[in-house]
Amino acid sequence: MTQKLIFTNLVGEALDTLVADLGNPQVFVLADSNTAECVMPALVEQSKAAAGARKIVIKAGEIHKDLDNVQAVWNALHEAGATRGAVIINVGGGVVTDLGGFAAATFKRGMRVINVPTTLLGAVDASVGGKTGINFNGYKNEIGTFTEPEASIISTGFFVTLPQQQLLSGYAEMLKHALLENRDELSKLLNYSVVYPMFNPDTLLPLIESTVHTKARIVDADFRETGIRKALNLGHTAGHAFESLAMKRQSPIAHGFAVAQGLVISLVLSHLKLGFPSDVLHTFAAYVRTNYNAFSFTCDDYPELLAYMAADKKNTQPGAVAFTLLADVGDVRVDQQLTDDEIRSALDIYRDLMGI
């Protein structure tokens, strides 16, 4: 992985150094309406590059991660005479880094990108690894590219203003990485709190660095997701189905909350198919139930959830859904083909575990 990972709370200083190293090109800053109001003023004070950049602002929220907003970014770049040598700084959460990365990857066949994630989810997931994407026809990240940014500047300095829901959303991805790593990492996270008022952003940065390096190691081994990188899909096959159903209900849920529920489904399937330890499954499910509640659905929703999973872009065999599963914490098995009956059983057990 060629992407630079910079862990610092001196964001402006790091950003100016990166832009100077790129030869002081034309600079654009992409932010959503929330970040433009809450973060950009502070970043402009810290960074000459940000202060002098052309600003592009899109609407906030997952529902706006679509072609209309990509086109708005393309139009702004075109009108400003942006060239392939320009750099776009994505300042925001996963929506901004996903959409901004996709717009940059496709404009002039590829502009340079620096990510400045302002949410925990963006810091540990969307800003690292080179995946860009937008939602299309009701499916999450249906269109996208594998295009690495120049760098990501990862800081906890912007997290003190995050709502509780956003902190928990990002923490779900950290839990996923810990499940992929080892029991010690998982134990650390299950015993750390991102719940106010106990949350301390200064003590979180070392945990973030550890979890991001887990992801970076996997991406290094398989950038285009033909093998072991599929490990990072743990929890996402069911999680994306929950997200899609929630969007259809016009009551979207945060990505990390969907992933947390999807992780429980994956661990249930792992237990049924690979003998994943039941004590870890029950401990993890209890943690999710306490901190993330449950995603409410009934047996009547099973056909729709199965249809969303069947349409997942990771599937390669007809009549089966591909899951990433675990034989134990850190013992990953990708491309596990599950039948509809097996998934229905897992949905039944999930509902029992989560009390719905």
Side-chain angles (χ1 to χ4, degrees):
M1 191 172 78
T2 61
Q3 174 185 359
K4 295 178 183 176
L5 298 173
I6 301 168
F7 299 89
T8 179
N9 284 328
L10 301 175
V11 177
E13 180 181 307
L15 184 57
D16 287 347
T17 298
L18 285 169
V19 171
D21 289 345
L22 293 175
N24 293 308
Q26 185 182 18
V27 178
F28 296 83
V29 170
L30 177 68
D32 66 23
S33 53
N34 291 337
T35 309
E37 179 180 350
C38 299
V39 176
M40 280 304 300
L43 187 60
V44 164
E45 285 187 6
Q46 298 172 24
S47 165
K48 291 181 180 178
R54 172 74 175 265
K55 311 300 189 296
I56 304 172
V57 179
I58 60 173
K59 294 178 181 178
E62 182 75 24
I63 195 171
H64 298 297
K65 197 172 78 171
D66 57 16
L67 277 172
D68 288 342
N69 277 286
V70 172
Q71 186 168 352
V73 175
W74 286 333
N75 285 337
L77 294 171
H78 176 76
E79 290 167 5
T83 67
R84 291 178 70 180
V87 61
I88 185 167
I89 302 169
N90 293 321
V91 181
V95 170
V96 171
T97 56
D98 277 358
L99 187 148
F102 178 71
T106 49
F107 187 80
K108 304 285 187 182
R109 294 200 178 101
M111 295 173 58
R112 295 175 292 184
V113 169
I114 297 171
N115 287 328
V116 181
T118 60
T119 66
L120 180 54
L121 179 60
V124 302
D125 185 41
S127 72
V128 178
K131 280 188 177 181
T132 76
I134 58 171
N135 304 332
F136 184 69
N137 282 349
Y139 290 94
K140 185 175 174 67
N141 296 331
E142 185 76 352
I143 300 174
T145 69
F146 289 95
T147 309
E148 281 195 286
E150 293 288 327
S152 286
I153 303 172
I154 296 172
S155 163
T156 58
F158 302 117
F159 294 174
V160 291
T161 61
L162 289 179
Q164 185 69 78
Q165 183 189 58
Q166 288 196 30
L167 284 170
L168 284 167
S169 186
Y171 205 66
E173 289 286 349
M174 294 178 66
L175 291 168
K176 178 196 76 175
H177 292 151
L179 284 166
L180 297 173
E181 191 67 22
N182 57 56
R183 292 199 182 206
D184 285 345
E185 290 296 311
L186 181 61
S187 179
K188 285 179 189 177
L189 295 192
L190 291 177
N191 288 288
Y192 182 89
S193 179
V194 289
V195 176
Y196 295 119
M198 294 85 76
F199 170 59
N200 181 345
D202 292 333
T203 60
L204 183 61
L205 191 57
L207 296 177
I208 292 174
E209 186 168 358
S210 177
T211 196
V212 168
H213 282 308
T214 294
K215 178 172 184 178
R217 173 176 52 79
I218 293 170
V219 172
D220 273 340
D222 178 27
F223 179 65
R224 297 195 67 84
E225 199 175 38
T226 59
I228 191 58
R229 184 168 179 169
K230 295 176 184 178
L232 297 172
N233 293 321
L234 184 70
H236 282 62
T237 300
H240 284 167
F242 291 149
E243 279 188 276
S244 295
L245 181 59
M247 283 193 286
K248 183 178 180 182
R249 291 172 172 175
Q250 297 186 330
S251 56
I253 59 174
H255 174 69
F257 277 64
V259 168
Q261 314 304 329
L263 287 170
V264 176
I265 295 288
S266 292
L267 295 189
V268 170
L269 287 166
S270 295
H271 176 68
L272 294 174
K273 196 172 181 71
L274 301 173
F276 184 86
S278 61
D279 61 326
V280 181
L281 165 60
H282 282 272
T283 298
F284 192 88
Y287 183 93
V288 171
R289 186 174 63 247
T290 299
N291 291 279
Y292 295 88
N293 299 316
F295 182 77
S296 182
F297 60 91
T298 70
C299 297
D300 292 339
D301 296 310
Y302 286 12
E304 196 156 18
L305 289 169
L306 287 167
Y308 284 127
M309 294 183 210
D312 192 288
K313 56 186 173 294
K314 298 180 291 295
N315 294 327
T316 58
Q317 296 184 20
V321 179
F323 274 78
T324 292
L325 301 180
L326 300 173
D328 200 342
V329 178
D331 188 353
V332 184
R333 310 293 172 88
V334 301
D335 289 328
Q336 298 294 299
Q337 305 299 319
L338 279 298
T339 66
D340 285 358
D341 285 344
E342 289 172 317
I343 297 170
R344 286 191 192 95
S345 295
L347 293 173
D348 287 340
I349 294 170
Y350 168 90
R351 292 171 60 212
D352 288 339
L353 286 170
M354 305 302 283
I356 57 173

